[in-house]
Amino acid sequence: MKGQILLIVLIGCGLVCGLESVRYENYKVYQVRVDTANQYKILSNQQKQLKLSSWREARQLGEYSDIMVPPSSQEQFEELLNRFKFEYMLKIANVQEIIDQQTPKQRSSSMDWTQYHTLEEIYEWLDVIEARYPNIVTPFTIGQSYENRTIRGIKISYKEGNPAVFIESNIHAREWITSATITYFIDELLVPRRPGLLDIANNIDWYIIPVLNVDGFSYSHEAERLWRKSRMPSDPTGECIGTDLNRNFDYLWMLTGASDDPCSEIYAGPSAESDPEISQMTAYIDNHIPDGSIKIYISLHSYGQYVLSPWGHTDEEFPEHYPQMMHVAEGFANALIRRYGTVFTYGSSATTLYQVSGSGKEWAYAVKNITIPYTIELRDKGQLGFLLPPEDILPVARELTDGFIGMINAAREANVLSLHKRSFD
């Protein structure tokens, strides 16, 4: 079972009800341990009938899945767990109560990192910093989304000739903590208040897209808080909406850890780079960033507290630069832990979490020759999952900033920041 994942399809009103607000009143989240192949099969067979939604999948036997269950299925679900002797516990008793706590009573007029901001608010803030720091901040757009929203990014550069880090955030719509923390990090780079920050601001160019999945992110604010995918229709009937954009990159697309079911949460799309968000971002990197200048690629996600490197498609081999990847990941994790004691686990996706193909970091390494590519999964370990309260934004953002300082220092030690194109032996 190693490398296999529990694929649980989200079937619900949000797929077909337009912008009518979806509420999760009395939805529960269970932590379920999967100990046998038969238990794995039982859960997989019940996913559609019981309308189960996977928050986190069991990677192998003996590990846990976090599963959200609607009120109509809870009694039957618990009977199933008890009948087949699953070990389980209730993690969240009412999902909607947690969501309501994330909604500010009064929206802030500025970016203050005490609440989660909408796409419009983030873009208004980008306008402000672009005007305030014209010699440091260079705005760019990669194109338009399926619903014709502009996908914006910024380049932060204090001088010419720096190696670059590329960060894409909020590729999964419901992972709000990612855009919240990366906007804080942008602010820190613009007004660096300590030597470590001043160093990585002055000596690294940062390309950052705060929200890549602009349609899904907007939909998660307007209608369905736990929406994950893009918003491009997935099948001719229009019943299923969206692609898992982190399965849509053109490297080993659909090999493993993805689905060809348009209703699945991990639907990889009808073809590689089928969604404009991915095709336009890869084209932007190809056509507008000097070849060989990006040394680190980061896809920012939540949750689980992981730094995940290639390979995702196999746990039987490792990339040539795996030792460097692990050294830099260790530098990130060791720097991050010092502030609050938050522990990050690092390793390849396939050996550490689950198998996946068609993801951003795999494409970055195999196609663009970027030596250090990661998926970074932020807090937490599953207590609240995608629903971290607003008061957690600043602690998560501060420790992430610490981690990035450690990451750059470790990358120097591993000699991966020199400006020459990486070659394969």
Side-chain angles (χ1 to χ4, degrees):
M1 292 287 293
K2 190 171 184 181
Q4 289 183 307
I5 59 175
L6 178 61
L7 306 181
I8 298 180
V9 180
L10 174 60
I11 304 295
C13 176
L15 294 175
V16 295
C17 293
L19 289 181
E20 180 182 348
S21 181
V22 176
R23 291 185 62 80
Y24 298 89
E25 208 70 63
N26 296 315
Y27 278 62
K28 295 180 178 180
V29 177
Y30 296 80
Q31 183 184 75
V32 180
R33 178 167 166 145
V34 183
D35 283 318
T36 69
N38 187 50
Q39 288 180 333
Y40 176 90
K41 183 178 179 180
I42 288 165
L43 286 177
S44 298
N45 289 343
Q46 293 296 316
Q47 57 191 20
K48 289 186 178 181
Q49 180 180 344
L50 298 183
K51 300 180 174 67
L52 307 178
S53 173
S54 174
W55 281 24
R56 180 169 60 177
E57 299 94 359
R59 179 176 68 94
Q60 58 185 348
L61 296 181
E63 296 190 353
Y64 294 88
S65 288
D66 295 340
I67 304 172
M68 184 173 72
V69 185
S72 60
S73 302
Q74 287 164 11
E75 182 176 352
Q76 188 177 354
F77 182 67
E78 290 188 12
E79 288 177 356
L80 182 80
L81 297 179
N82 290 326
R83 186 186 328 138
F84 292 98
K85 302 188 185 316
F86 284 91
E87 177 187 322
Y88 71 95
M89 63 173 288
L90 181 65
K91 298 189 76 170
I92 299 177
N94 186 345
V95 170
Q96 189 60 46
E97 284 186 359
I98 307 299
I99 292 174
D100 290 342
Q101 294 169 13
Q102 293 188 324
T103 306
K105 295 179 180 178
Q106 182 175 357
R107 299 211 66 86
S108 171
S109 59
S110 61
M111 187 74 73
D112 57 9
W113 299 283
T114 61
Q115 65 184 40
Y116 288 105
H117 289 279
T118 65
L119 183 70
E120 292 74 19
E121 290 166 343
I122 292 171
Y123 279 6
E124 288 173 5
W125 178 72
L126 290 180
D127 291 336
V128 170
I129 64 172
E130 289 163 10
R132 184 175 296 166
Y133 305 101
N135 297 323
I136 302 170
V137 175
T138 302
F140 65 87
T141 63
I142 66 168
Q144 304 298 118
S145 68
Y146 171 75
E147 294 180 341
N148 204 36
R149 292 180 176 87
T150 302
I151 305 170
R152 295 176 58 177
I154 60 170
K155 175 187 177 184
I156 298 175
S157 179
Y158 281 78
K159 68 178 191 294
E160 294 183 359
N162 286 335
V165 175
F166 188 97
I167 302 175
E168 40 98 341
S169 172
N170 243 135
I171 194 172
H172 290 149
R174 62 192 177 189
E175 297 168 8
W176 288 5
I177 191 64
T178 62
S179 53
T181 56
I182 206 61
T183 49
Y184 174 91
F185 178 65
I186 289 170
D187 191 65
E188 289 285 279
L189 289 175
L190 296 176
V191 190
R193 300 172 179 87
R194 48 196 168 107
L197 266 170
L198 187 63
D199 170 41
I200 69 170
N202 280 329
N203 297 305
I204 303 292
D205 287 351
W206 298 86
Y207 293 85
I208 300 174
I209 300 176
V211 181
L212 180 59
N213 184 3
V214 290
D215 293 346
F217 181 70
S218 296
Y219 185 75
S220 72
H221 275 270
E222 296 165 1
E224 188 168 348
R225 172 62 185 89
L226 292 170
W227 187 259
R228 168 184 169 94
K229 300 190 288 181
S230 69
R231 293 295 298 165
M232 189 168 76
S234 304
D235 68 89
T237 68
E239 178 184 359
C240 301
I241 302 293
T243 297
D244 180 345
L245 296 178
N246 203 39
R247 305 293 191 279
N248 194 234
F249 287 82
D250 193 8
Y251 180 70
L252 299 182
W253 176 80
M254 270 298 297
L255 178 67
T256 186
S259 175
D260 59 2
D261 177 0
C263 293
S264 170
E265 290 279 60
I266 57 171
Y267 175 57
S271 61
E273 297 191 359
S274 58
D275 283 48
E277 294 83 357
I278 301 306
S279 62
Q280 292 174 136
M281 189 187 77
T282 58
Y284 181 85
I285 293 174
D286 284 341
N287 299 324
H288 297 282
I289 300 178
D291 195 23
S293 65
I294 300 176
K295 300 302 177 183
I296 300 175
Y297 178 102
I298 294 170
S299 184
L300 201 58
H301 291 253
S302 72
Y303 59 94
Q305 296 169 204
Y306 294 102
V307 183
L308 303 171
S309 78
W311 295 121
H313 67 277
T314 178
D315 57 12
E316 296 180 353
E317 62 181 74
F318 297 91
E320 175 189 348
H321 297 85
Y322 190 70
Q324 293 97 315
M325 293 176 193
M326 291 303 96
H327 180 80
V328 176
E330 181 182 27
F332 173 91
N334 287 348
L336 183 146
I337 196 174
R338 293 176 190 143
R339 186 179 290 264
Y340 302 110
T342 307
V343 176
F344 271 65
T345 302
Y346 49 90
S348 75
S349 285
T351 60
T352 306
L353 192 56
Y354 50 66
Q355 288 192 358
V356 63
S357 63
S359 73
K361 70 179 185 304
E362 313 291 316
W363 172 85
Y365 184 75
V367 177
K368 295 305 296 179
N369 294 341
I370 297 171
T371 307
I372 305 294
Y374 298 130
T375 294
I376 294 180
E377 301 274 1
L378 300 175
R379 291 197 204 176
D380 57 10
K381 295 296 284 184
Q383 292 82 356
L384 293 173
F386 305 116
L387 301 177
L388 291 185
E391 53 265 32
D392 280 7
I393 295 172
L394 283 172
V396 174
R398 288 168 180 151
E399 68 186 9
L400 179 68
T401 300
D402 295 341
F404 282 158
I405 294 171
M407 178 186 74
I408 296 301
N409 288 334
R412 288 190 180 116
E413 293 170 356
N415 195 30
V416 297
L417 294 181
S418 57
L419 282 174
H420 57 79
K421 187 174 180 180
R422 196 191 88 204
S423 61
F424 287 93
D425 297 332

